[in-house]
Amino acid sequence: MANTGWDEFEIGAMLRSFDGVAATEIATTHQEDRNYSQNNSFSASVADWRIEKPIFAKDYCIDCQFCWIYCPDMSIISRDKKMIGVDMDHCKGCGICVEVCPTNPKSLLMFPEHAVEEDELASWPEKESKEK
Amino acid sequence: MAFDKMELRDIEVWDGNFAAAQAMRQCQIDVVAAYPITPSTPIVEGYAKFQADNYVEGEYVMVESEHAAMSACIGAAAAGGRVATATSSQGFALMVETLYQSSGMRLPIVLNVVNRALAAPLNVNGDHSDMYLGRDSGWIQLDAYCPQDAYDLNFIAFKVSEDHDVRLPCMVHQDGFMTSHTAQGVKTLTDDEGYGFVGDYQPMNDMLDFEHPVTHGVQTEEDWHFEHKARQHNDLMTKVIPKIEAAFDAFEKLSGRKYNLVEKYDMDDADVAVVCMGTSVETAREVATEMREKGIKAGVVGIRVIRPFPFIQIQEALKGCKAVATLDRSAPGGTAGMLFNEMAGCMYNLDTRPMLSGKIYGLGGRDLTKVHLVDLFTELQANVDAGKITTPLQQFIGVRGPKLSFL
Amino acid sequence: MSEMKKIKNLKEFSTSADRFEGANLLCPGCAHSIIVREVLNATNDDLVLSASTGCLEVCTAVYPYTSWDASWIHIGFENGSTAVAGAESMYKALKTKGRLKQPERNPKFVSFAGDGASYDIGFQWISGCMERGHNIMHVVLDNEVYANTGGQRSSSTPIGGSNTTTPAGTHSYGEKKNKKDMISIMAAHQIPYAAQVAPNKWKDMVKKIQHGMSVDGPVFINAVSPCTTEWKFDPKDTMALSDLSTDSLVFPLYEIIDSHELNITYRPKNVVPVEEYLAAQGRFKHLFKDEYKYLIKEWQERVDENWAYLNKREEARV
């Protein structure tokens, strides 16, 4: 939202989360069906915060949803109990998803921001053998 | 209706506190969050008794401090309903932070301030220190000179504050003890008339409207703060006075009682005038009339609307005078009194303007007597006769000890 | 009373639609956000929220952006709890007067505040709300410092924590006073429910939040929020730190029902030595110097004593 003049906004520095009427039950309406206002931070991006990014190797994922619940930035997209991807507009690259992923090899790994997804998926690490 | 109405007599004998409590009752407030402090406590107590006797519906929250009182009022106002509270002095000082917060958030709240001195030393009596502390808080501020005013101005306060073009909180000031604890005849409105004047509360940006979730109380940094404060000031400077004047007109039609931004008494041809607030206004009027009989053309300017400051109206009232004195009832803290400075500010650029001097009086409930005012008008006339101010610009009146004057 | 959302397992929980949005200004890895998500997702009811001045508020409501999909208010530092108490009072008033816009809805009133805002400057305000019995939930995001302003001590800061106003130095080991037992103090207000939660134990947290939202009256929740910036650990390790907090029993998970029934709700299979918890954080690294090692021993003793005390209370049902 561009910096407007003193006469161009609603009083009290009040902000609206949605344009018009919010869905009857926001709590059961997923992001893609919401009418976010331009003042909702959903409409913004923090992609430029990242120096590392997670890449998702779907084949190894067991849909445990640890990444979904422990992501501080609502950037693990889960629909119908399946992990479907990472929201790269809102991911800050903290790396928690990788740490909590229980699969072997992990289904999420951190790579430098400029890494090419196909290349990394093609050379995904092997299953680690646990030496006792 | 789940609460009882009260049959009032045409004239009731009420003190300023009870008058304010009655007005609050008639306005059917949704949430009152309050804390007791002398001398405003009887407002809170009166309202509590109304609730206990089923004369009010709605929530009455006895919070644990004045800061909490205004905080709860802000939460309730943002949720979306009619809100009010009352306080004085130390309590007012404690809630000062929340005064700025509520006006910045553009929430309608009515605050009855029963003016009392600020410690230290501790004092429970009436003066205007608390009023002066809240000057810059961004609230609309009205001044009651007597219990009738305290009653009437509450209705004005709700009506103006809640208007969607205004949405600013409003204080109704009255002198501690001198008005709040002095009973006089108060002409009443019926419950229907009183409520009918303020009308139903019309919500705006209300948090309890779940179909339109809103965020109140954001942070604005160097890229936005100035615009938001500018907007608040713009609305105070341009939107409020017309609404107050319209409310005053409507109130006159309803009750026959007319209020004005600036209460001029015998000012048309006045040579000398005092500018003051609170109970002093009525005393000054009596003395001004007596001075007239002695050949001194005296008048009185009472400030009715303290904020937004009626700059133009005061210029109009005073510019024809030859000598004016301001009466400030607050410890000036190392400078000229607030009214002196504000009068000077609004008259400085006039082509012709009166001589201006000021008095500090009545601190901590010290009486202002007619003798003080006779001396004052006499002094102003002496200034007129001499063609210059014959006294220091700031004099303390009514204090024991050697004569205290400055500037 | 509307039915509480049924959450059998994490997969079911993952069908929640968050009412908190990204692209906010919180640090990468911030536990506040994880806690907020778990709390908000615990219910499908409408919410009226507040935050006191602090990391959460400052990072999620900077004009022109809001990260909140429910009505939300910030007034100041001390009074977030009183803000929702005021809103809750208005809700009750409008309900009585028949003026609610959506009368069939059952909103929950939740205030979020840091430990600084809750244990220190907002103590009186929360105490007042708890005493008056408002139907609100106060959630403390406890990172044991005033994080938002650069990490100054609060009365939640534990012994030996180094921060900017009680820093470790040549003649000091940092904070000298023990952490205030806020949960006991709030429980003593005779509120129906008080509990300690941690983001790693999501099921425990959700169960407690749901219980808190279903009882009538004020609820106090203390949530440990490991802070990557002020506790000084890598952002990716937030959940590992949360695990260490609960498994070392530094942050035991328990609840107090009706001010006198204490239940321990998590017993770690393997209790981790407190030393491991301390070793994982930069704010305690000076404790590993020879002259301060005794403090680590004292830490373990305090944690053990507290755990024994909680167990005794649980057994005695007081």
Side-chain angles (χ1 to χ4, degrees):
Chain A
M1 175 175 146
N3 285 359
T4 58
W6 63 264
D7 56 340
E8 291 173 279
F9 45 66
E10 292 197 72
I11 58 169
M14 184 222 55
L15 293 169
R16 297 185 187 281
S17 311
F18 303 104
D19 280 336
V21 176
T24 311
E25 253 212 64
I26 275 293
T28 52
T29 307
H30 281 289
Q31 294 172 332
E32 55 272 17
D33 297 322
R34 295 175 176 174
N35 46 341
Y36 288 112
S37 76
Q38 58 169 352
N39 295 120
N40 196 307
S41 70
F42 180 81
S43 313
S45 172
V46 284
D48 57 353
W49 286 36
R50 289 194 302 266
I51 30 181
E52 286 189 315
K53 66 181 177 191
I55 292 183
F56 177 45
K58 198 175 171 58
D59 294 340
Y60 302 102
C61 177
I62 59 171
D63 296 309
C64 70
Q65 308 298 340
F66 284 172
C67 55
W68 170 82
I69 194 171
Y70 296 130
C71 171
D73 292 287
M74 287 62 70
S75 293
I76 298 293
I77 306 174
S78 197
R79 294 288 179 270
D80 300 315
K81 306 182 184 179
K82 292 208 168 340
M83 192 318 204
I84 59 175
V86 180
D87 177 348
M88 296 311 278
D89 283 333
H90 297 127
C91 170
K92 291 173 181 164
C94 70
I96 287 178
C97 54
V98 171
E99 291 303 304
V100 300
C101 179
T103 64
N104 186 2
K106 285 187 187 273
S107 314
L108 286 155
L109 287 169
M110 297 304 280
F111 294 93
E113 182 64 15
H114 55 265
V116 178
E117 190 170 335
E118 293 100 49
D119 296 347
E120 300 303 340
L121 285 171
S123 55
W124 205 255
E126 293 290 315
K127 176 172 175 153
E128 260 177 41
S129 58
K130 295 247 155 84
E131 264 147 41
K132 292 267 157 91
Chain B
M1 198 159 288
F3 59 95
D4 300 325
K5 288 205 207 170
M6 216 183 252
E7 284 287 319
L8 298 172
R9 288 176 289 213
D10 289 342
I11 300 181
E12 294 277 359
V13 179
W14 288 341
D15 61 24
N17 275 337
F18 198 68
Q22 280 283 6
M24 285 168 65
R25 176 188 66 78
Q26 292 182 311
C27 291
Q28 294 179 34
I29 301 168
D30 298 318
V31 172
V32 171
Y35 190 77
I37 181 169
T38 308
S40 63
T41 302
I43 297 181
V44 167
E45 291 172 332
Y47 196 83
K49 192 73 170 79
F50 292 146
Q51 219 203 16
D53 291 339
N54 200 41
Y55 289 113
V56 302
E57 209 176 25
E59 293 294 304
Y60 186 45
V61 190
M62 284 307 298
V63 288
E64 77 288 351
S65 82
E66 292 91 345
H67 186 295
M70 189 51 67
S71 303
C73 284
I74 294 174
R82 181 163 290 158
V83 172
T85 187
T87 195
S88 307
S89 173
Q90 309 308 127
F92 185 88
L94 186 62
M95 62 158 76
V96 148
E97 158 185 62
T98 56
L99 298 179
Y100 281 71
Q101 288 158 346
S102 55
S103 65
M105 288 162 70
R106 302 297 295 272
L107 296 170
I109 298 170
V110 171
L111 172 64
N112 275 279
V113 189
V114 180
N115 301 129
R116 164 187 150 184
L118 281 169
L122 188 63
N123 175 290
V124 298
N125 274 290
D127 78 22
H128 296 161
S129 336
D130 51 10
M131 179 208 290
Y132 285 19
L133 177 61
R135 266 186 297 169
D136 293 348
S137 58
W139 282 54
I140 303 168
Q141 301 190 41
L142 311 175
D143 195 33
Y145 309 153
C146 59
Q148 180 74 63
D149 297 355
Y151 177 72
D152 292 342
L153 291 175
N154 264 278
F155 297 102
I156 304 290
F158 282 105
K159 192 165 176 69
V160 174
S161 173
E162 292 174 7
D163 190 303
H164 283 194
D165 293 329
V166 171
R167 292 282 294 193
L168 284 160
C170 183
M171 292 178 204
V172 177
H173 294 282
Q174 60 172 291
D175 284 2
F177 285 103
M178 291 166 285
T179 302
S180 67
H181 285 63
T182 308
Q184 289 186 323
V186 175
K187 300 195 184 85
T188 62
L189 302 172
T190 65
D191 282 8
D192 287 341
E193 283 172 333
Y195 186 74
F197 181 80
V198 299
D200 293 334
Y201 179 84
Q202 302 296 335
M204 180 171 162
N205 304 338
D206 40 325
M207 293 203 294
L208 289 174
D209 179 359
F210 301 112
E211 292 187 353
H212 299 89
V214 285
T215 291
H216 279 285
V218 300
Q219 173 152 338
T220 58
E221 284 307 329
E222 72 279 359
D223 52 346
W224 280 105
H225 193 76
F226 204 177
E227 281 71 27
H228 285 286
K229 297 316 283 184
R231 174 60 171 275
Q232 186 181 346
H233 183 69
N234 173 76
D235 292 355
L236 270 162
M237 294 294 273
T238 60
K239 305 243 168 86
V240 177
I241 285 189
K243 294 284 180 178
I244 292 180
E245 287 178 322
F248 283 165
D249 284 341
F251 196 80
E252 186 189 13
K253 290 197 178 66
L254 173 64
S255 67
R257 297 187 287 283
K258 180 70 163 77
Y259 291 91
N260 304 283
L261 304 174
V262 170
E263 303 289 5
K264 293 185 289 193
Y265 181 82
D266 229 350
M267 286 302 296
D268 286 342
D269 64 340
D271 284 338
V272 298
V274 298
V275 181
C276 53
M277 300 188 285
T279 49
S280 313
V281 174
E282 294 186 340
T283 315
R285 287 174 183 167
E286 252 191 56
V287 174
T289 302
E290 288 172 12
M291 299 313 288
R292 288 262 175 185
E293 287 158 22
K294 295 183 186 164
I296 294 177
K297 294 208 243 166
V300 179
V301 167
I303 314 284
R304 175 68 70 196
V305 177
I306 308 163
R307 288 289 184 274
F309 184 69
F311 202 90
I312 308 296
Q313 291 80 1
I314 289 180
Q315 281 179 339
E316 283 302 312
L318 292 175
K319 68 179 185 209
C321 289
K322 303 200 175 104
V324 170
T326 56
L327 290 177
D328 275 301
R329 197 166 205 158
S330 176
T335 184
M338 186 267 280
L339 280 180
F340 179 95
N341 286 330
E342 302 224 5
M343 295 306 121
C346 80
M347 293 195 292
Y348 185 80
N349 290 308
L350 294 176
D351 292 329
T352 54
R353 56 180 189 268
M355 292 180 277
L356 182 67
S357 56
K359 304 281 186 190
I360 306 296
Y361 78 103
L363 300 192
R366 178 63 50 86
D367 233 347
L368 177 75
T369 66
K370 288 174 69 169
V371 172
H372 290 138
L373 285 160
V374 169
D375 289 345
L376 173 50
F377 279 119
T378 307
E379 198 180 270
L380 289 176
Q381 187 60 44
N383 292 348
V384 172
D385 296 338
K388 63 177 170 64
I389 300 176
T390 58
T391 63
L393 293 181
Q394 182 184 70
Q395 298 178 78
F396 276 56
I397 53 178
V399 67
R400 291 188 300 276
K403 181 112 180 66
L404 198 59
S405 54
F406 306 95
L407 306 171
Chain C
M1 186 73 55
S2 62
E3 257 184 54
M4 208 29 90
K5 179 174 169 179
K6 287 197 177 35
I7 303 164
K8 269 197 332 270
N9 51 45
L10 189 49
K11 285 202 193 215
E12 206 168 23
F13 198 32
S14 75
T15 61
S16 304
D18 283 282
R19 283 180 282 179
F20 182 55
E21 297 297 342
N24 53 54
L25 305 177
L26 291 165
C27 297
C30 177
H32 281 12
S33 183
I34 304 170
I35 295 163
V36 166
R37 291 186 61 211
E38 291 181 21
V39 171
L40 299 194
N41 285 334
T43 178
N44 282 344
D45 280 326
D46 292 287
L47 295 164
V48 176
L49 307 172
S50 79
S52 298
T53 311
C55 282
L56 185 70
E57 169 266 327
V58 152
C59 295
T60 62
V62 179
Y63 203 88
Y65 290 114
T66 174
S67 301
W68 300 93
D69 296 326
S71 280
W72 179 96
I73 182 168
H74 159 254
I75 312 177
F77 202 178
E78 337 64 340
N79 50 13
S81 54
T82 313
V84 293
E88 182 253 4
S89 301
M90 183 55 76
Y91 172 76
K92 293 214 291 266
L94 296 186
K95 190 169 188 180
T96 306
K97 298 187 181 194
R99 280 176 26 219
L100 287 172
K101 280 183 179 167
Q102 295 104 17
E104 71 287 359
R105 310 237 193 155
N106 237 315
K108 305 294 177 217
F109 296 86
V110 183
S111 87
F112 289 100
D115 51 284
S118 305
Y119 290 38
D120 294 347
I121 198 171
F123 187 90
Q124 170 215 307
W125 284 252
I126 299 170
S127 173
C129 288
M130 300 284 129
E131 183 273 328
R132 288 191 300 274
H134 292 282
N135 218 357
I136 64 169
M137 176 183 287
H138 184 83
V139 179
V140 180
L141 300 164
D142 186 5
N143 53 23
E144 301 190 320
V145 277
Y146 287 83
N148 178 226
T149 44
Q152 295 80 32
R153 69 87 70 183
S154 79
S155 63
S156 176
T157 305
I159 292 179
S162 178
N163 50 69
T164 61
T165 46
T166 54
T170 56
H171 285 65
S172 173
Y173 56 77
E175 175 59 46
K176 296 201 172 50
K177 306 301 292 168
N178 204 1
K179 186 185 172 91
K180 186 188 279 190
D181 184 0
M182 193 67 170
I183 300 169
S184 297
I185 298 171
M186 287 302 132
H189 284 66
Q190 294 168 53
I191 56 179
Y193 195 62
Q196 176 137 272
V197 298
N200 59 318
K201 296 293 172 209
W202 71 268
K203 207 164 195 184
D204 177 86
M205 185 180 312
V206 166
K207 189 159 177 241
K208 287 169 169 161
I209 299 298
Q210 289 198 330
H211 179 78
M213 286 182 173
S214 70
V215 296
D216 227 347
V219 171
F220 183 82
I221 304 284
N222 198 68
V224 54
S225 189
C227 175
T228 161
T229 306
E230 297 308 335
W231 293 18
K232 305 200 190 314
F233 58 82
D234 202 283
K236 69 174 173 35
D237 293 327
T238 300
M239 296 319 296
L241 257 299
S242 191
D243 283 334
L244 283 170
S245 317
T246 54
D247 294 349
S248 64
L249 303 176
V250 172
F251 280 91
L253 300 185
Y254 63 100
E255 61 187 7
I256 304 180
I257 297 177
D258 291 331
S259 85
H260 60 263
E261 276 182 39
L262 192 147
N263 298 322
I264 293 172
T265 58
Y266 172 60
R267 290 195 146 77
K269 265 201 290 275
N270 299 309
V271 176
V272 160
V274 171
E275 185 167 345
E276 256 183 66
Y277 167 78
L278 300 172
Q281 303 169 57
R283 64 174 171 149
F284 292 122
K285 80 164 183 277
H286 58 286
L287 296 183
F288 290 84
K289 291 201 214 149
D290 287 331
E291 67 262 39
Y292 293 138
K293 278 228 165 80
Y294 73 96
L295 289 166
I296 299 179
K297 191 161 160 295
E298 285 181 6
W299 254 94
Q300 185 67 62
E301 283 164 11
R302 266 197 310 276
V303 168
D304 292 343
E305 253 177 61
N306 189 46
W307 183 244
Y309 161 76
L310 291 173
N311 276 278
K312 269 198 215 121
R313 266 192 74 173
E314 185 184 44
E315 202 185 302
R317 311 310 293 151
V318 290

